Amino acid sequence: MATDIQKISGLSSKDAALRLRRDGFNELPQTRQSPLFIFILKLFREPMFLLLLGGVALYFILGDIAESMMLLVFVIVIMGITCYQEYRSEKAIIALRNLSSPRAFVIRDGKGIRIAGREVVSGDIIVLNEGDAVPADAKLFSVTNLLVNESILTGESQAVRKSSVDETDTRDIVRSGGDDLPFVYSGTQVVQGNGYAKVIATGINTEMGRIGVSLNTLSTDRTRLQKETDSLVRNFAIFGFIICALVVIIYGVTRMDWLQGSLVGITLAMAILPEELPVVITVFLALGTRRIALSKVLTREIPAVEALGSATVLCVDKTGTITQNRMTVSQLFDGDDSSGVFGSTLSENFHQLMEYGVLASQRDPFDQMEIAIKSFGECYLKNSEHWHQSWQLIHQYPLSRKLLAMSQVWESTNGKHYVIAAKGAPEDIFELCHLDQNKIKEIQSEVEVMAHKGLRVIGVAKASFPQKKLPDGQHDFNFEFLGLIGLEDPIRPNVFESVRSCYQAGIRVIMITGDYLSTAKEIASQIGLNAAKGAFTGDELAQISDEDLEKRIKDINIFARILPEQKLRIVNALKANGEVVAMTGDGVNDAPALKSANIGVAMGGRGTDVARESAGLVLLNDDFSSLVTSIRLGRRIYTNIKKAMVYLLAVHLPIICLTAIPVIFKWPLLLWPIHIVFLQLIIDPTCSIVFEAAPEEADIMMCPPRRSKEKLFNRRSVFLGLMQGFGVLVLSLGALLVTKFLGWSETDTRALVFAVLVISNIALIFVNLSEHFSLANRDILSNRVLWIVVFTTLSFLTAVLTIPTLKELFYF
């Protein structure tokens, strides 16, 4: 038997808070912020850190205690910077994991509210609907066609049927598995129907907790960019250590000083090894997810951030994404007459239509369409005989793939027959009412009129049935057609600009909706969607092969009357044509399409937990404009990573050459480990903080999407980095030759070359920070971290060039 939500009070808020304090949060042990010593231990596995310690040891062996201590201080500073970067990255990821936790619909203080799943307590009354993740172990006391997927516990992919608890059943809980058990278990998924249950176990006391399974909702696998940089660093490391060994041998053989040769080798290895690359990628992606979250988009899978910049197609739902999902009843049709203007009273002709529209909706609705119908009915029918708050709900017949209509069976206070109210897609209501073709054609013309206005149209019907065993399906009732309800859903205010921004960025927008084609075309015209090449309906889609769809989808931007399972075909056809697809979805049946899309985007407000867990991104406000903003931020992240990569290449080239050239030509050495470490103190925070904070380019959404397989170090990036690095090298060698011509000492020459190298390093930061460099650029002037780095660098440079003790330590 179905249950009235109004008759359930649930826990009080005060009682729930007390139980939460007593029992703790409803969650399994999760990964927490790593302590500081874990970050320090990780450093001992880094090649650069080991090289630095090697340099400290060699200085100590050579008796240069001051140099050894100075280098050790720098090592500690670099450790601090690296640990801070790792800490920020891990903190961002853990914060996102906590945000990603499932939600729960509970009844407290007699009202239904949606809370975080971790806040559910023992004794809570939870409401389960299709697509929900079960938040805790609970005992069912009311179910309607409830099927639950328990494969996470049992390994069986087939959903199991649930029943309500028998009054004689005193069991607290039994093991999962099998049909007709009155229990649901934490972490399982509702695939059909609905039910009410009382929580009996939370957290580690659940079935999930007892078997020790921990669900991490955020993937932390290495991304494509991270794998690319890992490979690059590994290759550079191998190359660097080979060159290092050769330099040590050459220096030792030619100058007969193997300890100094080892120091030179360490210096060169430090110059070659681009150990900043993995840190840059990790920090940019982790902090990028936080920036994206500020625009109301939650990142559940880090690779989705990488893919955002290469998205070529956005497939979006109309309802709630393009529109506001705040429906109002705009027009009524009773089978003969139509009205779209409502004053203080509603014509008697429409009373029965709205009466059964309300009866076909949930008594305490969550769906925006049902909220609109109930609000409208309450406004005009509340004090009339057509308002039935005292009736008891007996049974529900939910929507199905074969029949897009639902019915609710009510027991009236004085009748001997059950009253059945049905609502759904007009064509399915026609089918339930067994209307003849002439009548269908007549009503269909009114449907088209409403659809042309951009309204969402549903049909309403009624039936009665003797108070005996109810039939299995809705077709067994003798329904009478009552009319149509047209609902208006206003378009979100920023959608027009967002669609135009997508077109400027070379991104195609496809609208997918279950509404009528006329409705879809009207909405498309209002938002500026390019629909010149026609549209497709679900029926047409069902009649063509995948090969034909791949050919025809190249020009089609509107898909109407689409079933959720047809979205997967659309996504696969687009991917087969080489598109990078972002797909939005909110229902259980959207999950396969979300999984298949390059970027699955679930709705955070109205989306099911199944959809959320299948997606890489979650729109917390269900707004299309937020998705476009996240694409812009994704492009910014990738662009800034490329800027950092060019800077790294440019800055490493002269350091490598200025270390190797004196060895080859038997000149006095210009750079020692202490100089390399000083430069690292500039390079590390610049790459991971200054470039990460760099604002987007003004024309970032005027460029076409990047190729999905584009490498960070493509020909253009390598050429740009080499040219910049070569320019710095020429300046440094020029300074070296001038000092030789003027007869300067070795220490003065080293000081000048080092100063040129540091100042050129600062210049490289400014040059690469923006593709349209200008010192008058407000974004550069407002980059606080940049000026901190510049001021600190120049202050330290001045100190080592003027303070005698530091000059001696730096061999100046």
Side-chain angles (χ1 to χ4, degrees):
M1 180 178 288
T3 301
D4 257 345
I5 194 171
Q6 292 185 338
K7 295 182 179 179
I8 305 172
S9 59
L11 295 176
S12 67
S13 298
K14 183 178 179 180
D15 192 14
L18 289 173
R19 296 186 184 209
L20 187 63
R21 283 197 293 270
R22 182 193 69 193
D23 301 332
F25 285 112
N26 173 39
E27 58 188 4
L28 301 178
Q30 294 182 351
T31 303
R32 302 191 182 278
Q33 185 81 44
S34 300
L36 180 62
F37 75 88
I38 295 296
F39 293 117
I40 295 174
L41 287 176
K42 287 181 181 178
L43 287 178
F44 281 93
R45 300 198 300 266
E46 295 295 328
M48 177 61 77
F49 185 73
L50 296 176
L51 287 171
L52 287 171
L53 289 182
V56 171
L58 283 174
Y59 272 125
F60 189 81
I61 293 171
L62 290 169
D64 296 330
I65 305 299
E67 287 87 343
S68 177
M69 296 307 296
M70 174 63 76
L71 192 58
L72 186 60
V73 169
F74 281 168
V75 168
I76 293 172
V77 172
I78 289 178
M79 282 176 59
I81 294 173
T82 305
C83 288
Y84 174 69
Q85 292 166 343
E86 292 280 348
Y87 173 82
R88 289 184 72 194
S89 301
E90 185 170 308
K91 185 178 180 180
I93 290 175
I94 289 176
L96 291 172
R97 180 181 290 119
N98 292 335
L99 281 173
S100 306
S101 63
R103 303 160 301 167
F105 192 73
V106 301
I107 301 175
R108 289 182 181 172
D109 301 312
K111 297 179 181 179
I113 58 172
R114 193 168 289 278
I115 63 174
R118 66 197 299 263
E119 296 174 5
V120 171
V121 298
S122 181
D124 258 330
I125 303 299
I126 55 175
V127 183
L128 300 173
N129 290 298
E130 182 177 310
D132 286 348
V134 179
D137 289 2
K139 182 183 288 188
L140 292 158
F141 58 85
S142 176
V143 299
T144 304
N145 303 317
L146 186 63
L147 295 179
V148 179
N149 186 329
E150 297 181 346
S151 59
I152 195 169
L153 294 175
T154 65
E156 297 293 332
S157 59
Q158 185 70 31
V160 295
R161 183 177 63 250
K162 294 294 179 179
S163 62
S164 56
V165 69
D166 191 291
E167 292 181 1
T168 61
D169 192 342
T170 59
R171 295 174 296 176
D172 285 337
I173 196 74
V174 297
R175 295 294 297 271
S176 57
D179 288 326
D180 297 321
L181 287 177
F183 302 100
V184 287
Y185 305 92
S186 176
T188 58
Q189 303 281 353
V190 178
V191 297
Q192 181 179 305
N194 54 66
Y196 294 79
K198 184 175 182 179
V199 175
I200 56 181
T202 61
I204 60 173
N205 297 316
T206 62
E207 186 80 1
M208 183 76 73
R210 278 192 285 271
I211 63 176
V213 178
S214 178
L215 295 178
N216 292 321
T217 58
L218 186 66
S219 170
T220 55
D221 292 338
R222 304 294 285 175
T223 69
R224 185 186 64 82
L225 287 180
Q226 288 173 325
K227 291 176 182 176
E228 181 184 338
T229 53
D230 288 346
S231 174
L232 196 64
V233 170
R234 184 173 60 252
N235 294 336
F236 264 95
I238 295 171
F239 172 75
F241 283 118
I242 292 173
I243 296 298
C244 169
L246 290 175
V247 167
V248 171
I249 293 171
I250 293 172
Y251 194 97
V253 170
T254 57
R255 307 193 189 191
M256 299 307 295
D257 191 341
W258 292 95
L259 283 178
Q260 288 286 357
S262 298
L263 271 178
V264 174
I266 288 174
T267 305
L268 185 57
M270 291 168 60
I272 294 175
L273 187 64
E275 90 293 344
E276 308 93 350
L277 289 181
V279 176
V280 167
I281 300 298
T282 301
V283 171
F284 272 58
L285 293 179
L287 299 186
T289 60
R290 191 175 66 177
R291 291 187 185 278
I292 291 174
L294 294 176
S295 57
K296 304 297 182 183
V297 180
L298 173 64
T299 305
R300 293 194 67 257
E301 296 177 353
I302 298 295
V305 178
E306 290 184 19
L308 280 171
S310 57
T312 59
V313 177
L314 299 188
C315 296
V316 295
D317 284 327
K318 176 186 75 69
T319 304
T321 308
I322 291 175
T323 61
Q324 297 179 25
N325 200 27
R326 295 179 181 174
M327 295 187 179
T328 56
V329 175
S330 179
Q331 190 163 350
L332 300 175
F333 175 72
D334 67 353
D336 296 311
D337 298 322
S338 177
S339 175
V341 179
F342 310 108
S344 58
T345 60
L346 181 67
S347 172
E348 184 69 30
N349 296 352
F350 303 111
H351 279 200
Q352 193 178 48
L353 171 61
M354 288 310 305
E355 173 188 1
Y356 280 85
V358 172
L359 288 174
S361 304
Q362 298 290 335
R363 177 153 283 177
D364 192 5
F366 186 71
D367 179 78
Q368 288 295 322
M369 180 181 68
E370 293 190 343
I371 290 174
I373 292 172
K374 183 182 178 182
S375 298
F376 189 89
E378 188 172 14
C379 177
Y380 290 105
L381 305 179
K382 187 172 184 179
N383 297 319
S384 72
E385 61 184 0
H386 299 284
W387 192 250
H388 308 292
Q389 289 299 293
S390 60
W391 285 15
Q392 183 178 359
L393 181 64
I394 302 300
H395 189 68
Q396 293 175 319
Y397 293 93
L399 291 166
S400 67
R401 295 183 182 183
K402 295 182 179 179
L403 185 66
L404 297 178
M406 63 169 292
S407 298
Q408 298 204 134
V409 181
W410 297 87
E411 183 180 28
S412 66
T413 53
N414 53 10
K416 296 182 180 179
H417 287 73
Y418 290 136
V419 175
I420 300 97
K423 75 175 190 304
E427 56 268 32
D428 289 281
I429 295 295
F430 299 161
E431 182 183 335
L432 284 178
C433 297
H434 305 291
L435 299 180
D436 60 56
Q437 289 301 313
N438 290 332
K439 188 64 175 177
I440 290 175
K441 187 175 181 180
E442 178 185 335
I443 300 172
Q444 190 64 43
S445 64
E446 186 64 31
V447 171
E448 290 296 326
V449 170
M450 289 186 179
H452 273 297
K453 296 178 181 179
L455 303 183
R456 184 174 185 180
V457 187
I458 64 167
V460 179
K462 72 172 185 176
S464 63
F465 196 79
Q467 290 192 7
K468 59 181 183 180
K469 184 179 179 181
L470 292 169
D472 294 332
Q474 300 177 69
H475 281 287
D476 295 313
F477 297 116
N478 185 21
F479 280 106
E480 175 188 348
F481 182 76
L482 295 179
L484 304 171
I485 300 177
L487 298 110
E488 182 180 15
D489 190 3
I491 293 172
R492 293 182 183 271
N494 298 323
V495 170
F496 183 87
E497 287 298 322
S498 296
V499 171
R500 186 172 69 173
S501 178
C502 285
Y503 287 149
Q504 290 175 340
I507 301 171
R508 180 179 164 197
V509 181
I510 295 178
M511 183 171 68
I512 301 175
T513 179
D515 280 342
Y516 282 93
L517 181 58
S518 301
T519 303
K521 287 184 175 180
E522 174 61 24
I523 297 298
S525 67
Q526 293 181 36
I527 65 173
L529 185 70
N530 182 5
K533 298 294 181 67
F536 241 63
T537 65
D539 290 339
E540 292 172 328
L541 187 62
Q543 295 171 7
I544 65 172
S545 66
D546 290 340
E547 291 75 15
D548 288 338
L549 179 59
E550 290 170 15
K551 296 176 183 177
R552 300 180 65 178
I553 203 171
K554 295 177 180 179
D555 300 315
I556 303 297
N557 293 329
I558 296 178
F559 289 85
R561 305 306 279 172
I562 295 296
L563 298 174
E565 53 267 29
Q566 290 178 317
K567 292 182 179 180
L568 180 60
R569 289 191 66 197
I570 296 173
V571 169
N572 288 340
L574 289 166
K575 289 173 66 179
N577 289 335
E579 305 284 4
V580 177
V581 184
M583 162 68 77
T584 66
D586 58 4
V588 177
N589 295 331
D590 291 336
L594 293 175
K595 278 283 189 184
S596 178
N598 302 94
I599 309 166
V601 185
M603 302 297 106
R606 59 190 170 86
T608 62
D609 288 326
V610 173
R612 282 159 56 96
E613 292 176 13
S614 299
L617 300 176
V618 179
L619 293 183
L620 298 178
N621 59 358
D622 297 354
D623 193 342
F624 174 73
S625 300
S626 295
L627 177 57
V628 177
T629 300
S630 68
I631 289 175
R632 191 184 75 243
L633 290 173
R635 289 188 171 196
R636 167 188 166 174
I637 292 167
Y638 189 83
T639 301
N640 285 350
I641 290 176
K642 291 197 71 172
K643 291 175 182 177
M645 296 299 107
V646 171
Y647 165 78
L648 280 175
L649 181 59
V651 80
H652 272 277
L653 177 64
I655 296 174
I656 293 170
C657 294
L658 290 174
T659 305
I661 288 174
V663 176
I664 296 171
F665 292 99
K666 295 185 179 181
W667 294 345
L669 296 178
L670 293 171
L671 300 177
W672 292 95
I674 199 165
H675 304 118
I676 304 297
V677 172
F678 184 97
L679 291 169
Q680 289 294 337
L681 291 175
I682 307 171
I683 297 170
D684 281 359
T686 297
C687 290
S688 56
I689 301 176
V690 174
F691 280 104
E692 194 281 327
E696 67 207 37
E697 299 291 341
D699 60 350
I700 197 166
M701 290 298 280
M702 303 293 286
C703 307
R706 63 178 173 82
R707 296 190 303 276
S708 60
K709 294 183 180 180
E710 177 183 319
K711 292 186 178 296
L712 279 174
F713 283 106
N714 54 25
R715 291 182 180 178
R716 182 179 181 278
S717 298
V718 171
F719 178 78
L720 193 60
L722 290 177
M723 287 299 98
Q724 291 180 7
F726 184 74
V728 174
L729 177 61
V730 168
L731 284 176
S732 302
L733 290 177
L736 173 63
L737 295 175
V738 167
T739 58
K740 282 186 172 295
F741 178 77
L742 296 176
W744 285 22
S745 67
E746 175 187 329
T747 53
D748 289 340
T749 298
R750 181 179 294 112
L752 179 61
V753 172
F754 184 75
V756 169
L757 193 57
V758 171
I759 294 172
S760 298
N761 198 324
I762 294 173
L764 287 175
I765 298 173
F766 283 95
V767 169
N768 288 292
L769 204 57
S770 174
E771 294 177 0
H772 310 288
F773 171 72
S774 170
L775 285 176
N777 188 323
R778 290 184 179 180
D779 292 330
I780 292 178
L781 295 175
S782 62
N783 192 328
R784 185 169 57 90
V785 180
L786 166 66
W787 293 109
I788 290 174
V789 170
V790 171
F791 176 78
T792 305
T793 301
L794 292 177
S795 298
F796 272 111
L797 179 62
T798 302
V800 299
L801 291 175
T802 56
I803 299 175
T805 304
L806 292 178
K807 287 173 65 177
E808 185 177 348
L809 288 173
F810 276 77
Y811 305 102
F812 295 159

